[in-house]
PDB file of all heavy atoms in Angstrom:
ATOM      1  N   ALA A 121      10.731 -12.437   9.200  1.00 98.00           N
ATOM      2  CA  ALA A 121       9.837 -13.350   9.952  1.00 98.00           C
ATOM      3  C   ALA A 121       8.360 -12.891   9.829  1.00 98.00           C
ATOM      4  O   ALA A 121       7.474 -13.695  10.032  1.00 98.00           O
ATOM      5  CB  ALA A 121      10.271 -13.344  11.407  1.00 98.00           C
ATOM      6  N   TYR A 122       8.131 -11.690   9.439  1.00 98.00           N
ATOM      7  CA  TYR A 122       6.784 -11.123   9.384  1.00 98.00           C
ATOM      8  C   TYR A 122       6.182 -11.168   7.985  1.00 98.00           C
ATOM      9  O   TYR A 122       5.117 -10.589   7.707  1.00 98.00           O
ATOM     10  CB  TYR A 122       6.774  -9.674   9.885  1.00 98.00           C
ATOM     11  CG  TYR A 122       7.316  -9.555  11.314  1.00 98.00           C
ATOM     12  CD1 TYR A 122       8.375  -8.758  11.552  1.00 98.00           C
ATOM     13  CD2 TYR A 122       6.728 -10.272  12.359  1.00 98.00           C
ATOM     14  CE1 TYR A 122       8.934  -8.692  12.860  1.00 98.00           C
ATOM     15  CE2 TYR A 122       7.256 -10.210  13.639  1.00 98.00           C
ATOM     16  CZ  TYR A 122       8.302  -9.401  13.857  1.00 98.00           C
ATOM     17  OH  TYR A 122       8.834  -9.287  15.137  1.00 98.00           O
ATOM     18  N   TYR A 123       6.871 -11.883   7.081  1.00 98.00           N
ATOM     19  CA  TYR A 123       6.371 -12.065   5.710  1.00 98.00           C
ATOM     20  C   TYR A 123       6.229 -13.574   5.475  1.00 98.00           C
ATOM     21  O   TYR A 123       7.168 -14.285   5.400  1.00 98.00           O
ATOM     22  CB  TYR A 123       7.330 -11.399   4.726  1.00 98.00           C
ATOM     23  CG  TYR A 123       7.377  -9.906   4.898  1.00 98.00           C
ATOM     24  CD1 TYR A 123       8.028  -9.254   5.896  1.00 98.00           C
ATOM     25  CD2 TYR A 123       6.633  -9.110   3.969  1.00 98.00           C
ATOM     26  CE1 TYR A 123       7.965  -7.866   6.031  1.00 98.00           C
ATOM     27  CE2 TYR A 123       6.568  -7.769   4.062  1.00 98.00           C
ATOM     28  CZ  TYR A 123       7.227  -7.139   5.110  1.00 98.00           C
ATOM     29  OH  TYR A 123       7.199  -5.797   5.267  1.00 98.00           O
ATOM     30  N   THR A 124       4.954 -14.029   5.400  1.00 98.00           N
ATOM     31  CA  THR A 124       4.702 -15.472   5.402  1.00 98.00           C
ATOM     32  C   THR A 124       4.047 -15.971   4.130  1.00 98.00           C
ATOM     33  O   THR A 124       3.925 -17.138   3.967  1.00 98.00           O
ATOM     34  CB  THR A 124       3.767 -15.814   6.594  1.00 98.00           C
ATOM     35  OG1 THR A 124       2.532 -15.139   6.447  1.00 98.00           O
ATOM     36  CG2 THR A 124       4.419 -15.358   7.912  1.00 98.00           C
ATOM     37  N   VAL A 125       3.564 -15.076   3.241  1.00 98.00           N
ATOM     38  CA  VAL A 125       2.940 -15.490   2.018  1.00 98.00           C
ATOM     39  C   VAL A 125       3.882 -15.173   0.869  1.00 98.00           C
ATOM     40  O   VAL A 125       4.495 -14.086   0.785  1.00 98.00           O
ATOM     41  CB  VAL A 125       1.534 -14.866   1.771  1.00 98.00           C
ATOM     42  CG1 VAL A 125       0.600 -15.422   2.854  1.00 98.00           C
ATOM     43  CG2 VAL A 125       1.545 -13.418   1.761  1.00 98.00           C
ATOM     44  N   TRP A 126       4.050 -16.151  -0.071  1.00 98.00           N
ATOM     45  CA  TRP A 126       5.052 -16.039  -1.086  1.00 98.00           C
ATOM     46  C   TRP A 126       4.618 -16.422  -2.466  1.00 98.00           C
ATOM     47  O   TRP A 126       5.394 -16.735  -3.344  1.00 98.00           O
ATOM     48  CB  TRP A 126       6.259 -16.917  -0.692  1.00 98.00           C
ATOM     49  CG  TRP A 126       6.980 -16.308   0.467  1.00 98.00           C
ATOM     50  CD1 TRP A 126       6.844 -16.594   1.764  1.00 98.00           C
ATOM     51  CD2 TRP A 126       7.883 -15.237   0.351  1.00 98.00           C
ATOM     52  NE1 TRP A 126       7.697 -15.737   2.531  1.00 98.00           N
ATOM     53  CE2 TRP A 126       8.357 -14.915   1.667  1.00 98.00           C
ATOM     54  CE3 TRP A 126       8.468 -14.520  -0.688  1.00 98.00           C
ATOM     55  CZ2 TRP A 126       9.255 -13.915   1.942  1.00 98.00           C
ATOM     56  CZ3 TRP A 126       9.374 -13.514  -0.443  1.00 98.00           C
ATOM     57  CH2 TRP A 126       9.791 -13.246   0.893  1.00 98.00           C
ATOM     58  N   ASN A 127       3.315 -16.331  -2.730  1.00 98.00           N
ATOM     59  CA  ASN A 127       2.784 -16.540  -4.111  1.00 98.00           C
ATOM     60  C   ASN A 127       2.857 -15.197  -4.797  1.00 98.00           C
ATOM     61  O   ASN A 127       2.030 -14.299  -4.525  1.00 98.00           O
ATOM     62  CB  ASN A 127       1.350 -17.098  -4.028  1.00 98.00           C
ATOM     63  CG  ASN A 127       0.827 -17.385  -5.419  1.00 98.00           C
ATOM     64  OD1 ASN A 127       1.521 -17.303  -6.417  1.00 98.00           O
ATOM     65  ND2 ASN A 127      -0.487 -17.737  -5.487  1.00 98.00           N
ATOM     66  N   GLN A 128       3.808 -15.050  -5.692  1.00 98.00           N
ATOM     67  CA  GLN A 128       4.103 -13.736  -6.343  1.00 98.00           C
ATOM     68  C   GLN A 128       3.161 -13.539  -7.562  1.00 98.00           C
ATOM     69  O   GLN A 128       3.079 -14.348  -8.411  1.00 98.00           O
ATOM     70  CB  GLN A 128       5.523 -13.606  -6.750  1.00 98.00           C
ATOM     71  CG  GLN A 128       5.875 -12.360  -7.479  1.00 98.00           C
ATOM     72  CD  GLN A 128       7.311 -12.333  -7.904  1.00 98.00           C
ATOM     73  OE1 GLN A 128       8.188 -12.245  -7.050  1.00 98.00           O
ATOM     74  NE2 GLN A 128       7.565 -12.421  -9.218  1.00 98.00           N
TER      75      GLN A 128
END
Side-chain angles (χ1 to χ4, degrees):
Y122 304 120
Y123 292 78
T124 65
V125 294
W126 287 96
N127 182 7
Q128 178 181 290

